[in-house]
Amino acid sequence: MLGKNSRLYNSILNVGTTAMATLFTMLLSVVVRAFLNRNLGTNYVGLTGILTSVITSLSITDLGIDSVFIYLLYKPMADRNTDEIGKLMVLFKRVYMWIGTFFLLLGVICVPFLKYLVGAQAMRIPNIYLIFFLYLLNTGISYFFAAYRVILNADQKYYIIARITFLTTFVTNFLQIIGLLLIKSFVLYVILLLLSTIATNLIIGSVSIKRYGLRKLPRERINNIKFENDETIPTLIHNIIGGISNKLGVIFVNSSDNIMLANFETLRIVGMYSNYLMITNGVSSLLSKMIASVTASVGNLGSEGNEGKNLTTFVKLTTIINFLVIMAVIPMSLFFGTFINIWVGGKNILPVVPTILITLNCLLAVIRYPALTFIDAFGLQWIQRWKSIVESAVNVGVALILLIVFKMGLNGVLLGTLCSNLLVVNWYEPFLVLREVCGRRYRQYLAEVIPAFALFIGAVLFSLGVLMSGVIGISLWRSLVVIVISEVILLTIVYFVFRNSLGMELITSIFGRFFKRRTV
C-alpha cells in the first residue's frame, strides 16, 4: 500500500504537483514574454535577462543556506520534536532577516556602478533606476519570509509552496498581459511582479504559521538558545562557508553570461539569447523542482545510514533524469527555430551553432540534479567548498578569452559554460556523493551512466545533422513529423538500453502500485 505519510507517497505528491504547477507557470510565462516582446520590443526582453542576472549575483548574500537549514530540520521533524523545531525557526528567521537587510544595502551600494553591470544600451531605457530598485525589492523581500518555506520543504510539503506560487503567478501574468496591452508600461509590469512576490510570501507564511504553530516560538536571544544537538551551530557555520563557494559558482556560471554579453554584445543579442534561455530554464526548472521536491525524502533516507540503499536511490534518480534528458534533447533542439518563429518572430532565431551549445549546456546542467540533491540532503556543502570557485574561474576565464581575443561573441560565452561543466562539475559532484554516502561503489554507478552519455552524444550529433541539413526550416509540420519519428526511434533505443536499470524498475513499480491501488 502507498500510505499517505510514506516517503514514497510524499515524493510522488511533491513531484506530481510541482511538475504540473511548473509546466503551467512556464506556459504562462511564454505567453507573457510574447506580449512583452511584441508590445515593448526585444530590448526590454534583454533588460529582464540582464537585471535578473545582476540581482542573482547580488543574492550571494543568502550564502546558499536554505539547504543547510532544511538539513538541520530533518531529524527534529522526523522525531516531531516541536521544541527543537521552534528553536531552529527562531535561528532561521533571525539569520534570514540579517541576510535580507544586507542584500538590500548591497543593492543600494551598487547603484552608482549600475552602468557597468547592465551595459550602456540598458542605461538608456527610461526609469532604469526605478526598474532596478523594483527588481531588487522583488528578490530582497523574499528573504524575510524564507524560513516559512524551509519548514514546509523539510516536512516534504513542497507541493503546498508549488500550489500557492502557481495561483499567484497565474493572476499576476493575467494582469501583466492586460497592462502590456492597455498601458504598455514596463514599470507597471515589474510592480505587478513585486506584488505577486509579496502575496505569495504572505500566504506561504500564513500557512506555515498555522500548520506548525509558529506563533508560539520562543523569544530568547539566539545566543541564549540551547540546541539539543551540540553540532547544530558548527554544522551551520561549516555549511554556510561551503554554501558561499557553491553560490559563487552558481552566480558566475548562470549570471555572468548575460552581464558579459551586455558589455560585449548588443542588447538585442541579449534579448534573443534570453528567449532561448527562457525555454531551457523552463525545462530545467521543471526537472529541478521535481528532483528538489524529493530532497527531504532523501535526507530522511540518509538518517538510516545505509550506504547500499543510498547508492540504489542515487542510481535510480540519476537513471530517471538521464532518461528524461535524452528524450528532451531532440525535440528541444529541433523545435527551437519553429517555436521562436511562432512565439516572437523569425528575426529572433539564433544560428545552428549557438542553438546546439544552448541545448548542450541545458543537458549538462540538468544531469547534475541527482548529485546536487544528495549534496544538499546530506549536508556536503563544506566538503566541496573549493569546487565552485574553480568552476566559476574556468567559466569566466574561457569566456573572456574567447570574447576578447577571438571575438566569438555569444558562442564564446556558451563555450565558457560548456567547459566549466565538462571539466569541473559534471564528474566531481557524482564522485563526491559516491565517496561520501554510497561506499565508493563507482563501478555500479558507471555501469548505469555510461550508456546514457553515449546516447547523449548520439542525440546531439543527430540534432546537429538535421539542423545543418535545413530539412526542417521553420515549418511547424516538418518539425513535428521529424521530432515524432526521431522520438519513436530514440524511445525504442532507450527502452532496450535501460530496461533492466534501477530507474526503470522504480517507474514500473510506481505505476504498478497506483494501478493496484485503483483496482482494490
Side-chain angles (χ1 to χ4, degrees):
M1 291 292 292
L2 205 59
K4 288 192 174 182
N5 292 316
S6 71
R7 185 185 299 147
L8 180 60
Y9 178 86
N10 283 321
S11 296
I12 293 171
L13 184 58
N14 282 329
V15 169
T17 304
T18 301
M20 294 300 296
T22 304
L23 182 60
F24 281 110
T25 301
M26 182 172 65
L27 293 174
L28 287 170
S29 299
V30 166
V31 174
V32 174
R33 178 65 66 90
F35 279 94
L36 177 63
N37 187 81
R38 296 183 188 277
N39 287 275
L40 294 180
T42 309
N43 282 351
Y44 279 92
V45 175
L47 180 64
T48 60
I50 294 171
L51 287 177
T52 300
S53 296
V54 171
I55 298 301
T56 301
S57 298
L58 296 179
S59 67
I60 184 178
T61 51
D62 71 11
L63 310 179
I65 62 173
D66 50 346
S67 59
V68 181
F69 287 162
I70 293 172
Y71 170 71
L72 291 174
L73 274 170
Y74 286 148
K75 190 177 188 305
M77 291 293 286
D79 296 339
R80 295 300 171 190
N81 188 337
T82 55
D83 182 60
E84 188 73 359
I85 291 171
K87 292 175 182 178
L88 287 170
M89 287 298 292
V90 171
L91 174 64
F92 298 169
K93 290 178 70 175
R94 187 66 56 84
V95 172
Y96 275 125
M97 183 183 69
W98 292 335
I99 290 171
T101 302
F102 185 61
F103 170 82
L104 293 173
L105 288 174
L106 185 60
V108 173
I109 292 171
C110 287
V111 169
F113 310 100
L114 189 60
K115 63 181 179 181
Y116 302 109
L117 297 173
V118 302
Q121 278 188 299
M123 292 301 296
R124 291 196 288 268
I125 289 180
N127 302 309
I128 182 63
Y129 287 104
L130 174 60
I131 293 169
F132 173 75
F133 274 116
L134 290 171
Y135 267 95
L136 186 71
L137 284 173
N138 183 59
T139 298
I141 202 166
S142 294
Y143 290 122
F144 297 94
F145 296 88
Y148 299 118
R149 292 175 178 266
V150 166
I151 193 169
L152 283 168
N153 221 337
D155 196 28
Q156 303 183 50
K157 299 296 185 290
Y158 188 84
Y159 64 88
I160 295 176
I161 299 174
R163 289 172 180 174
I164 293 170
T165 304
F166 170 72
L167 291 174
T168 54
T169 302
F170 177 83
V171 174
T172 302
N173 288 162
F174 178 74
L175 294 175
Q176 284 177 323
I177 291 172
I178 294 176
L180 288 170
L181 288 173
L182 300 179
I183 303 176
K184 296 184 178 180
S185 168
F186 191 71
V187 172
L188 175 61
Y189 174 89
V190 184
I191 288 174
L192 290 170
L193 188 65
L194 174 60
L195 293 176
S196 173
T197 299
I198 295 172
T200 301
N201 283 291
L202 286 174
I203 296 171
I204 290 174
S206 176
V207 170
S208 296
I209 289 170
K210 183 178 179 180
R211 190 179 188 94
Y212 301 103
L214 300 180
R215 289 188 181 90
K216 301 177 182 179
L217 290 178
R219 298 187 178 276
E220 300 102 312
R221 294 173 59 87
I222 288 178
N223 55 356
N224 292 331
I225 294 178
K226 301 297 182 183
F227 296 100
E228 292 184 5
N229 186 352
D230 293 336
E231 294 299 313
T232 294
I233 299 300
T235 298
L236 180 64
I237 294 172
H238 274 85
N239 282 300
I240 282 178
I241 295 173
I244 294 174
S245 172
N246 293 331
K247 195 69 178 181
L248 280 171
V250 172
I251 288 168
F252 281 98
V253 173
N254 295 334
S255 302
S256 62
D257 289 0
N258 276 332
I259 296 175
M260 286 189 289
L261 285 173
N263 287 278
F264 288 94
E265 281 282 6
T266 65
L267 197 58
R268 182 173 179 274
I269 293 294
V270 179
M272 294 169 66
Y273 176 51
S274 295
N275 289 332
Y276 280 73
L277 275 187
M278 187 172 183
I279 300 170
T280 58
N281 287 344
V283 173
S284 60
S285 176
L286 175 63
L287 296 175
S288 170
K289 289 179 179 178
M290 289 170 64
I291 289 293
S293 62
V294 302
T295 302
S297 298
V298 174
N300 183 260
L301 170 70
S303 63
E304 299 177 8
N306 187 324
E307 291 182 341
K309 191 177 289 187
N310 293 343
L311 175 68
T312 300
T313 303
F314 181 49
V315 170
K316 285 178 179 179
L317 282 177
T318 301
T319 305
I320 291 171
I321 281 294
N322 288 343
F323 171 79
L324 293 174
V325 168
I326 290 169
M327 298 309 299
V329 167
I330 287 181
M332 185 167 62
S333 57
L334 298 184
F335 202 60
F336 261 136
T338 304
F339 182 77
I340 292 291
N341 181 58
I342 296 172
W343 180 30
V344 290
K347 62 182 180 181
N348 293 291
I349 298 175
L350 290 171
V352 172
V353 173
T355 298
I356 290 295
L357 290 175
I358 290 170
T359 304
L360 268 173
N361 283 331
C362 178
L363 181 156
L364 293 174
V366 171
I367 61 176
R368 295 174 60 187
Y369 292 154
L372 291 175
T373 299
F374 269 72
I375 288 169
D376 285 344
F378 284 82
L380 303 178
Q381 290 89 348
W382 167 255
I383 299 175
Q384 59 154 10
R385 57 193 179 278
W386 300 112
K387 181 264 300 179
S388 292
I389 295 177
V390 177
E391 172 191 5
S392 59
V394 171
N395 178 72
V396 176
V398 172
L400 286 176
I401 291 172
L402 296 177
L403 281 169
I404 297 171
V405 179
F406 296 97
K407 312 294 182 184
M408 292 184 66
L410 177 59
N411 288 339
V413 171
L414 295 172
L415 284 170
T417 303
L418 183 67
C419 287
S420 67
N421 281 326
L422 289 175
L423 298 178
V424 183
V425 297
N426 282 109
W427 68 268
Y428 177 75
E429 289 164 346
F431 168 79
L432 177 65
V433 173
L434 291 167
R435 187 185 70 188
E436 297 297 325
V437 302
C438 298
R440 301 172 181 265
R441 303 178 187 183
Y442 307 113
R443 184 176 298 178
Q444 185 174 345
Y445 174 78
L446 290 174
E448 294 280 346
V449 300
I450 287 177
F453 279 108
L455 285 175
F456 289 154
I457 295 171
V460 170
L461 290 176
F462 174 81
S463 300
L464 178 62
V466 172
L467 290 173
M468 294 291 288
S469 71
V471 68
I472 290 181
I474 57 175
S475 168
L476 175 61
W477 293 112
R478 283 187 185 179
S479 298
L480 292 177
V481 169
V482 172
I483 288 171
V484 169
I485 293 174
S486 303
E487 286 290 271
V488 170
I489 296 172
L490 187 58
L491 188 60
T492 304
I493 296 172
V494 166
Y495 172 76
F496 282 106
V497 171
F498 290 103
R499 68 184 185 280
N500 295 321
S501 69
L502 292 171
M504 193 66 74
E505 289 177 12
L506 177 62
I507 294 174
T508 305
S509 172
I510 291 173
F511 277 107
R513 291 190 190 187
F514 270 115
F515 284 123
K516 182 179 179 180
R517 191 182 181 196
R518 294 188 183 282
T519 55
V520 173

